[in-house]
Amino acid sequence: MKFWARVRYWLLLNSCRAAGALPTWVLYHFFQDLLYFAIYKMARYRLKVVRGNLRNSFPEKTPEQLHEIERRFYRHLSEVVVDTVDLVNISRRELEERIHFTNVDEVEAQMQGKDWIAALAHFGCWEYFGAYQLHTASQVIGVYRPLHEKAFDEYYKYMRSRFGLRPVAMHCLLRNIVQNKKNGCRQILGLIADQTPPEPEINHWFDFLHQPTAFFMGVEKLSLKFGMPVYVMSLSKVSRAHYEVSFHPIYDGVEPVQEFEITKRYAAELEKMIRRSPELWMWSHRRWKHKPVPAVPES
């Protein structure tokens, strides 16, 4: 990092450390409530995007129901911001209390001696996935796309690696996988797969939340290339900043499948989660900014 980027990183990290040292009730009640008011009521952060996404995804719901989801989403969004601050200070004991993996023993037994993929989403607090490193001898890898702002990029790498997770940039991932295999290092790839890919990379549309939707194909491509089983991480919120997590298998690493089938299964699992607790998904992202081009009829 250049000098001023290092300065910004130092200020960001230590500001978050200072804030994270506050009592939990201050962070998750007073501070979070202030954030909620600032983001939702004052700044109206991406409110048009949120309302459009909700309206198109749930045409069966009344305006009152959509408004309630909207309100609860912004409440959750403010909590995720607090989580991101708190994770630079949180202890191992506190982290294990925040996130309970309900079927970790079953997954570890099934995946013994195997590399596998945890297919994640911007649902709940996805940053808590790093806690899985506390339950496995395999190396947990958090795959990420580097941020343009180097200070924030370094901050997220530090926060995510505190308990042993290894952040790996997307452009370095293939080399990292191959090197780990050569060294006999078992690995678990954590891949967030619900973002919108760049338009040139879109080659298939999925029926998702009543809309044609594109997904990144990284999970499917890597699982087929390296024979990795795929589990979807499903979260249920218990209380503020507390979750239960279970892993649902969608691909065993050897089953012959049609192209796009693994991604289709991922999308189906994600839609179940969203319909169960819609406020926990990140509705402020512009996931439907690209639309399929209508076929031109033959003359």
Side-chain angles (χ1 to χ4, degrees), residues 108 114-118 129-130 132-143 160-168 173 176-177 180-181 184-190 228:
E108 284 294 294
K114 296 180 181 178
D115 299 334
W116 58 279
I117 296 173
F129 168 70
Y132 194 85
Q133 186 67 77
L134 304 177
H135 302 275
T136 182
S138 298
Q139 177 61 61
V140 178
I141 294 172
V143 183
R160 290 165 177 166
S161 61
R162 286 190 62 222
F163 297 97
L165 177 145
R166 182 189 301 162
V168 174
L173 182 58
N176 189 270
I177 292 172
N180 284 340
K181 285 184 173 293
C185 174
R186 296 271 67 86
Q187 54 198 321
I188 302 168
L189 309 183
M228 291 184 182

Side-chain angles (χ1 to χ4, degrees), residues 48-64:
K48 288 184 179 180
V49 174
V50 171
R51 286 179 173 172
N53 286 344
L54 287 173
R55 186 170 57 250
N56 294 333
S57 298
F58 302 111
E60 74 281 3
K61 293 188 181 296
T62 65
E64 292 75 20

Side-chain angles (χ1 to χ4, degrees), residues 85-151:
V85 171
D86 196 32
L87 277 168
V88 297
N89 274 354
I90 196 170
S91 68
R92 173 174 177 154
R93 179 184 61 80
E94 289 174 316
L95 184 60
E96 288 180 317
E97 289 176 357
R98 296 279 182 91
I99 184 162
H100 172 58
F101 295 99
T102 61
N103 63 338
V104 62
D105 292 337
E106 176 187 340
V107 173
E108 284 294 294
Q110 292 173 346
M111 294 296 101
Q112 190 171 18
K114 296 180 181 178
D115 299 334
W116 58 279
I117 296 173
L120 317 178
H122 290 93
F123 187 89
C125 182
W126 55 93
E127 297 293 354
Y128 283 148
F129 168 70
Y132 194 85
Q133 186 67 77
L134 304 177
H135 302 275
T136 182
S138 298
Q139 177 61 61
V140 178
I141 294 172
V143 183
Y144 73 99
R145 290 181 178 272
L147 300 174
H148 293 298
E149 173 50 63
K150 295 299 182 183

Side-chain angles (χ1 to χ4, degrees), residues 54 58 61 65 69-70 72-73 76 123 272-283:
L54 287 173
F58 302 111
K61 293 188 181 296
Q65 289 172 320
I69 296 172
E70 172 191 305
R72 292 170 67 184
F73 160 69
H76 174 69
F123 187 89
K272 288 178 188 176
M273 287 193 289
I274 293 170
R275 291 194 175 281
R276 184 178 68 238
S277 301
E279 70 278 6
L280 299 186
W281 200 42
M282 203 54 55
W283 294 102

